[in-house]
Amino acid sequence: SGFARVVALELSPSACDAAKREIEASGHPRAASVEVCCGDFFRHTGAYDLVWDCTFLCALDPSVRERWAAAHRSLLKPQGRLLTAIFPIDASRPDGSGPPYPLSLDLLRRLLQPAGLHAVEVRETLPASEQHRPGGFSGEAETALAVWAIGGLGGGGGRNGGAADGAKKK
């Protein structure tokens, strides 16, 4: 099972080359179904069943966050889903300190709901084994996961994925 085709998008040509080498060297029987595209996320076009955003938003300057939300919405098929790793969640860091810039579930709701996406599943409490710990990050910060879909009830929703947001909380 799984997806017939996976597209990995990266801006850095050296990172694209490294990813291609890693995929080829993996020897995985499905490696040929992974396409590494080197390009600008904000100019990328396509229609996808699933988009996985892991530590991309936290690396972006806050001035482009609304563009990030609109671009994700434009990349999803009507029944598509956006999966976000909300990291770093660190209330002790000021909003302007980054990258990585601190994130929260409330912030993602404020960005994605106006773009037409609503949370359908939220996991705010992850065990230590599922916390995101990227190389080079020093500090303690929490991770949450959220799945977003097109449409929905809109509105602010509660902090814990309440009924106003239509989210299932785990």
Side-chain angles (χ1 to χ4, degrees):
S1 79
F3 293 96
R5 177 175 162 253
V6 174
V7 176
L9 181 61
E10 171 59 47
L11 182 62
S12 164
S14 61
C16 289
D17 292 343
K20 290 174 185 177
R21 287 191 303 272
E22 180 73 22
I23 292 165
E24 187 176 306
S26 75
H28 193 280
R30 306 250 346 248
S33 66
V34 178
E35 176 187 354
V36 177
C37 293
C38 197
D40 183 344
F41 168 77
F42 295 105
R43 291 192 174 123
H44 187 74
T45 59
Y48 297 98
D49 296 306
L50 177 71
V51 175
W52 167 229
D53 187 299
C54 181
T55 67
F56 179 50
L57 178 59
C58 72
L60 293 174
D61 186 275
S63 66
V64 299
R65 287 178 172 170
E66 287 79 15
R67 286 182 57 212
W68 168 89
H72 274 302
R73 168 61 180 87
S74 74
L75 291 172
L76 290 175
K77 289 182 178 178
Q79 299 301 315
R81 298 289 185 261
L82 168 63
L83 173 59
T84 55
I86 306 167
F87 173 89
I89 299 173
D90 184 353
S92 69
R93 292 179 57 206
D95 285 341
S97 66
Y101 294 96
L103 302 178
S104 69
L105 178 58
D106 289 338
L107 171 64
L108 267 74
R109 279 195 177 110
R110 289 192 311 269
L111 293 169
L112 293 169
Q113 286 178 344
L117 296 169
H118 71 282
V120 294
E121 184 173 340
V122 174
R123 292 184 59 207
E124 288 187 83
T125 306
L126 300 177
S129 63
E130 294 180 21
Q131 293 291 325
H132 184 64
R133 295 292 178 249
F137 179 78
S138 61
E140 292 296 318
E142 296 295 314
T143 306
L145 297 174
V147 180
W148 307 86
I150 296 170
L153 302 173
R159 179 170 177 80
N160 294 318
D165 196 41
K168 295 186 296 182
K169 186 174 181 208
K170 289 190 173 185

